[in-house]
Amino acid sequence: MRAFSLWLMPVPRGTAALLSAAVLIAAACEPGREPAELTPAETDRTMLDADRNAVRVVPPARRIVSLVPSATLTLAALGARDLLVARTDFDTAAWIGDLPSVGGGLQPSIEAIVAVRPDLVIHFGGSQDLQTPRRLAELGIRHASVRPDRVEDILAMVRFLGGVTAEPEAADSLVLHIESELEAVQRASLGAPDVQVAYVLGGDPPWVAGPGTYIHQLIELAGGSNVFSDLERRYSAVSPEEFYRRRIDLILLSRGTAFDERMAGGARIVHVSPALELPGPSVAASARELARILGRIP
């Protein structure tokens, strides 16, 4: 097993420029890891992805394209960053910057993906991009979906990625670390005074985190109450009137997010780390950050 290392560095927001076609072609020649020796009994092992599709985990993936930034960070946390052979425009951390880009996480360049000869492509689950998994299936490229909407989905993603990379022990260690950290934050926040919190993701009108999101869960776990927990969708745009008519004690903004402060009324505005908007291995650190802002822990 590789040494377990928790990767908590956030990916900066913004879009990087696409690399040239020459770089993409050159990257296709990069060597991947050789598959491990397998017994006949292991050759038909599968796991279910976020869309409940059976995905082969044997042989383990050795050339991965991750279209999901939080999955990319999770692979790094599992000690498997060297399995990545391409990135998206939104993966701009220094350690992955030398890899070729395949475009956006949704509707990426299939040609760029094929050029790096992946044996597994990780993509977003759900209906927002049905074309990508369909084309990958037509080309015979193994692919799998992740959909880290809630904390439990993040933990499921960790276990799944540990399975497809033959690193279940590293995945179990990471899950245990996240669960123990979240439980510690929850214990520290029990019985604290109620704080009405709004998390704003930006936009005009502003988009906010609603129910059924990991952000909602972290707010509640850290001892706050999500002001917009009654919305019908996980993330929604809300009007200025919605802000004015609700009691809000605290507005959380990711650093660099534009927000009309006139909508805050008397609420305190605090800028948080962009890592909070990446539902991956940094979720426990994000919970601690919220708990500190709410005064639950030092």
Side-chain angles (χ1 to χ4, degrees):
M1 189 187 88
R2 303 184 198 97
F4 169 70
S5 60
L6 182 61
W7 182 261
L8 295 178
M9 182 176 292
V11 173
R13 296 174 11 148
T15 304
L18 289 172
L19 298 185
S20 66
V23 174
L24 292 174
I25 294 171
C29 301
E30 294 178 0
R33 293 187 185 178
E34 292 298 321
E37 291 293 330
L38 305 172
T39 65
E42 292 177 308
T43 57
D44 60 352
R45 286 177 50 212
T46 62
M47 293 181 71
L48 295 180
D49 68 6
D51 290 323
R52 309 300 292 173
N53 295 318
V55 178
R56 288 183 293 109
V57 298
V58 177
R62 289 297 177 261
R63 296 185 63 84
I64 300 175
V65 174
S66 171
L67 304 177
V68 184
S70 55
T72 303
L73 292 180
T74 301
L75 288 167
L78 295 175
R81 69 169 69 173
D82 58 325
L83 301 181
L84 291 160
V85 295
R87 62 177 178 87
T88 70
D89 292 345
F90 298 96
D91 293 302
T92 56
W95 61 266
I96 201 173
D98 290 337
L99 294 181
S101 173
V102 298
L106 299 175
Q107 299 181 343
S109 167
I110 298 298
E111 292 77 12
I113 291 175
V114 171
V116 296
R117 298 182 293 109
D119 59 16
L120 178 66
V121 177
I122 304 295
H123 57 83
F124 287 99
S127 60
Q128 52 191 338
D129 180 11
L130 298 176
Q131 178 179 348
T132 296
R134 182 168 57 245
R135 287 289 291 127
L136 294 172
E138 291 171 352
L139 293 167
I141 299 174
R142 179 170 47 163
H143 62 92
S145 64
V146 295
R147 190 170 180 174
D149 293 325
R150 303 161 300 168
V151 170
E152 48 267 43
D153 301 323
I154 296 171
L155 300 180
M157 177 177 68
V158 171
R159 293 189 179 97
F160 180 83
L161 294 177
V164 297
T165 57
E167 293 294 344
E169 293 175 321
D172 288 344
S173 295
L174 180 53
V175 167
L176 181 62
H177 170 82
I178 292 173
E179 289 179 333
S180 62
E181 285 291 292
L182 294 180
E183 288 170 2
V185 170
Q186 187 174 39
R187 286 194 302 270
S189 303
L190 289 175
D194 179 53
V195 179
Q196 296 291 309
V197 181
Y199 190 96
V200 178
L201 295 96
D204 185 18
W207 282 71
V208 299
T213 65
Y214 72 95
I215 292 177
H216 167 87
Q217 290 176 295
L218 295 186
I219 290 172
E220 301 280 324
L221 184 144
S225 295
N226 184 4
V227 172
F228 292 104
S229 63
D230 60 337
L231 299 180
E232 294 182 358
R233 303 175 65 180
R234 289 190 177 98
Y235 299 99
S236 298
V238 295
S239 66
E241 289 74 22
E242 280 294 307
F243 274 86
Y244 296 143
R245 74 179 185 85
R246 295 174 186 246
R247 174 201 152 195
I248 303 177
D249 301 316
L250 175 65
I251 295 175
L252 300 175
L253 304 171
S254 182
R255 285 196 291 270
T257 298
F259 179 71
D260 184 350
E261 297 190 4
R262 292 174 297 180
M263 296 171 57
R268 182 167 63 113
I269 297 176
V270 175
H271 293 267
V272 299
S273 167
L276 207 149
E277 293 179 16
L278 285 167
S282 62
V283 65
S286 294
R288 284 196 168 273
E289 180 179 1
L290 292 181
R292 282 193 292 270
I293 291 171
L294 291 170
R296 309 316 193 203
I297 60 176

